[in-house]
Amino acid sequence: MFQTERQIIETKIKTFCAANGIPLAALEWKPIPFSGEWGFSTSFFGTAAAEARLGKKVVVAQRAQEIAEQVKNQVSDVPGIRRVEAVKGYLNLYFDTQEYTRRVVDTVLEKKNRFGSGPATGQRVMIEFSQPNTHKAFHVGHLRGTILGDAICRILEFAGNEVVRANYPGDMGLHVIKWLWGYLKFHDGEEPATDIAKWMGEVYAEAAHRIEENPDLEAELRALYARWDQRDPEIVALWERTREWSLEGFRQMYAALDVRFDVYYFNSQEEKPGKEVVEELVRRGIATDERAQGGAVIVKIDEVLGLTKEQFRTAVVLRSDGTALYSTEDLALALHKFRDYPDLAKSVYVVDVRQSLHFTQVFKILEIAGHAQAQKCSHVSYELVTLPGNVVVSSREGTVVLLEDLLREATTRARAEAHKKNPSLTEAQLESVAKAVGLGALKYPILARENTKMVTFDWQTALDFNGQAAPYIQYAHVRCNSILRKAGGLPDVGPDVGCSTFDYELNPAEIQLIDMISRFPGEVQRAAAEYKPLAIASIAYDIAKAFAGFYDACPVVQAEPQVRAARLRLVAATMQTLANSLALLGITAPEVM
RNA sequence: GCCCCUGUAGCUCAACGGACAGAGCACCUGCCUUCUAAGCAGUAGGUUGUGGGUUCGAAUCCCGCCAGGGGCGCCA
């Protein structure tokens, strides 16, 4: 946001160093740790160290400070920079806060819901995420991939990319066969009632249990799989009907979570193309068909690549009975995506960490087969959600917290809390607040965490509406709105409408707030580059916290007319930035709560 | 046996190789005639698992070790 000044100063520093034979290291700019003022800084340790390496006898820290002091004199009269200081080897440049505050606030109010967005990159990116299995329960374990993938899509789009949101439900596989078997055997003819997904999950869990108790039944399963593979009309019809029940359940779930998709792929559709890919791999000698010896079709990747140390290992790409595996289908799907969208710059898979080897194998095999698209494929992995005591969420073990239950509980709790805090809310307001707060409380802790870190789900944390959580940020947004409402909206500032004027000594809390708002666009870029919603979750909280400090320290509505006008614009800018950041997380910013 | 991830305050987590390692929760002390207290201010809490190395500078990069989790030819 302050590129111009930065450029001028960099040029001056470079000129000075060149003229004095100082081997300037690359300049990196960072915000100054907050001390009531606002600015940016760079250090000269690298430069001093470079001198030392060249044989000059210096104590690095001391020399860095010397250089900083010399440079300081060169840049003391840059317009817009109020003060320059050299401290501990750092050169600190403090903004003319009035000028910059005006600039930041005006930018936000001008760009509105586009504030923080990046310029169009011209790149189309596909993000595949969620991948629920039909015929199974949708539980907290699935929540993370769905929420994370959705946030990544929102962030990449905002950062300037064209995003294709892809879902890839697992609608065929051993689990589905198991379900169909259980249904035919114990629930034939039954129809799902209200909680479809829940009922589907129960049927599956029962089938899984029966088979575990009596392994002899597995023969029946294999027979059923064979009937499917030969497309026995009766089985296909049953599969189509019951699959639709699940998909309907998913649609309801996604609507409740405020998540949408542009395209659906189904692994059942990739079975045949996948087998064709495998056949070709065998023909070309990349895959080895061991079926004659009772084995499967495999790709000895390390051997094919001539590696002596095991790295990519061996991948099974087709079962010995000729039925398709996920790897079979993923080979075809990867190519399928590029046929549908030939201009994809990236094809990203948001899938949990356990599939890491699987995806490196799939992408490597495609690369070996000469498909250049493979290099555009990447796996963004995330850790699992576990239950307290490190219990893995499993529909088979019955250790599940169903998403329906979670959503219902969160909403109910949020509703009760909202009613308690603000009894004046109407029924309709309560309704929307409950949804926004309940959902936000659910999403935020998942997103405000490194993807590589495990999330332990427990009800207490999930439903804690205090502290560093979505409701805190939403509340800041509500308070902004409340101030603007009380003040009757933004004031007309005369002929210079659209220009904020901060002609008074700014309170440190105001400067802190402005500082945080100005960092938002940079965080968007970082979050997009690293597929890291955490960066947005953090800055959103930082802005909310800064606002809470401002709210406490700086009266707005009752302030002097000039101060009031300026602060109202700052409040409006804060509200906008909070809304933008929450939107990137898929969290609603309510007007009241 | 090989590979990946994690280890930071009592707990849950931040920290882009840079200044004094920061938040929340829990605990304790204050603050609602004043823009919504889902809030604010303050106290306390640390040998960043461990031993080396690189660097002017390491929680961060490299190597070893310890501990926990995950993955390794027919689950998805």
Side-chain angles (χ1 to χ4, degrees), chain A residues 112-231:
Chain A
K112 298 195 170 69
N113 63 358
R114 299 297 301 161
F115 172 67
S117 64
T121 61
Q123 290 201 336
R124 198 205 290 266
V125 180
M126 179 180 281
I127 311 288
E128 181 201 299
F129 66 103
S130 200
Q131 305 104 342
N133 281 329
T134 64
H135 303 80
K136 267 183 150 181
F138 200 107
H139 54 68
V140 278
H142 301 111
L143 190 60
R144 189 170 190 179
T146 305
I147 297 310
L148 179 64
D150 176 58
I152 288 174
C153 289
R154 291 169 187 264
I155 291 165
L156 286 179
E157 200 157 37
F158 199 63
N161 302 284
E162 194 173 323
V163 173
V164 181
R165 299 159 160 261
N167 200 345
Y168 185 47
D171 64 341
M172 182 39 68
L174 221 46
H175 71 281
V176 178
I177 297 296
K178 217 178 265 184
W179 190 95
L180 292 174
W181 171 82
Y183 179 80
L184 285 171
K185 196 134 180 167
F186 310 111
H187 299 275
D188 201 6
E190 285 180 27
E191 299 268 328
T194 43
D195 277 352
I196 307 175
K198 190 172 182 174
W199 178 78
M200 299 286 286
E202 283 164 7
V203 172
Y204 175 80
E206 186 192 349
H209 245 96
R210 301 259 190 179
I211 289 168
E212 218 161 273
E213 281 169 11
N214 187 357
D216 295 345
L217 295 172
E218 277 177 26
E220 294 183 18
L221 273 190
R222 280 195 297 275
L224 195 58
Y225 213 145
R227 284 177 72 189
W228 157 259
D229 223 36
Q230 280 141 40
R231 295 297 186 271

Side-chain angles (χ1 to χ4, degrees), chain A residues 270-290:
Chain A
E270 307 299 329
E271 277 187 355
K272 282 207 164 76
K275 288 177 186 176
E276 284 161 21
V277 173
V278 170
E279 267 173 42
E280 196 201 324
L281 290 174
V282 172
R283 249 198 330 273
R284 294 175 52 192
I286 297 168
T288 315
D289 192 344
E290 297 184 337

Side-chain angles (χ1 to χ4, degrees), chain A residues 407-461:
Chain A
L407 275 168
R408 200 176 300 132
E409 187 68 24
T411 312
T412 309
R413 275 284 299 272
R415 190 193 179 89
E417 196 73 6
H419 182 66
K420 199 173 80 190
K421 304 275 187 193
N422 190 351
S424 67
L425 291 176
T426 66
E427 199 51 32
Q429 285 173 327
L430 260 183
E431 193 68 26
S432 68
V433 169
K435 198 192 164 202
V437 171
L439 200 51
L442 230 52
K443 289 183 176 184
Y444 190 85
I446 287 174
L447 296 172
R449 182 163 313 220
E450 205 71 59
N451 298 347
T452 52
K453 290 219 172 127
M454 212 112 74
V455 172
T456 305
F457 174 84
D458 71 281
W459 285 98
Q460 213 185 346
T461 315

Side-chain angles (χ1 to χ4, degrees), chain A residues 281-318:
Chain A
L281 290 174
V282 172
R283 249 198 330 273
R284 294 175 52 192
I286 297 168
T288 315
D289 192 344
E290 297 184 337
R291 279 181 292 181
Q293 297 86 51
V297 180
I298 60 175
V299 180
K300 299 175 182 169
I301 307 179
D302 288 333
E303 200 180 296
V304 172
L305 292 172
L307 299 175
T308 47
K309 266 175 77 174
E310 60 178 355
Q311 187 182 347
F312 298 101
R313 300 169 184 269
T314 297
V316 178
V317 292
L318 198 66

